[in-house]
């Protein structure tokens, strides 16, 4: 894990029944950078944000915040 990456999603996948909301999504943001997530309705923007926050549990992949794997931590445990 590159510690200069403040937020990193690695191969995140999330399905809701037969619908795939996220299919192996990966990106990183360095501290001080701004990120915009753009796309049409239903493309997974909100699901990605909910996974980052810990409000949705991804089916596969990892979420790192400040170099710490928070993939399976609750919202309350995702301290910075």
């Amino acid at each position: 894990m590159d510690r200069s990456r403040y937020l990193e999603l690695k191969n995140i996948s999330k399905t809701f029944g037969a619908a795939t909301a996220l299919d192996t999504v990966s990106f990183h943001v360095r501290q001080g950078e701004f990120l915009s997530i753009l796309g049409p309705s239903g493309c997974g923007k909100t699901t990605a944000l909910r996974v980052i926050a810990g409000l949705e549990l991804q089916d596969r992949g990892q979420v790192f915040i400040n170099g710490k794997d928070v993939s399976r931590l609750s919202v309350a445990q995702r301290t910075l």
Side-chain angles (χ1 to χ4, degrees), residues 2 5 19 21-22 27 32 35 45 52 54 56-57 61 65 69:
D2 182 352
R5 296 176 178 199
L22 300 171
F27 64 83
L35 170 72
K45 302 177 300 288
I52 292 167
E56 289 286 350
L57 188 61
I65 298 177
D69 186 351

Side-chain angles (χ1 to χ4, degrees), residues 1-71:
M1 175 67 199
D2 182 352
R3 289 225 171 250
S4 67
R5 296 176 178 199
Y6 183 73
L7 170 66
E8 183 170 14
L9 272 64
K10 283 187 165 184
N11 302 314
I12 297 293
S13 294
K14 177 66 180 173
T15 58
F16 297 98
T20 301
L22 300 171
D23 187 11
T24 61
V25 173
S26 297
F27 64 83
H28 69 270
V29 183
R30 289 184 167 78
Q31 192 160 0
E33 287 184 325
F34 289 94
L35 170 72
S36 295
I37 301 176
L38 304 172
S41 179
C43 74
K45 302 177 300 288
T46 299
T47 301
L49 293 173
R50 290 178 61 82
V51 166
I52 292 167
L55 299 171
E56 289 286 350
L57 188 61
Q58 69 277 10
D59 299 328
R60 288 183 302 280
Q62 295 173 286
V63 178
F64 294 90
I65 298 177
N66 204 22
K68 180 180 177 182
D69 186 351
V70 299
S71 302

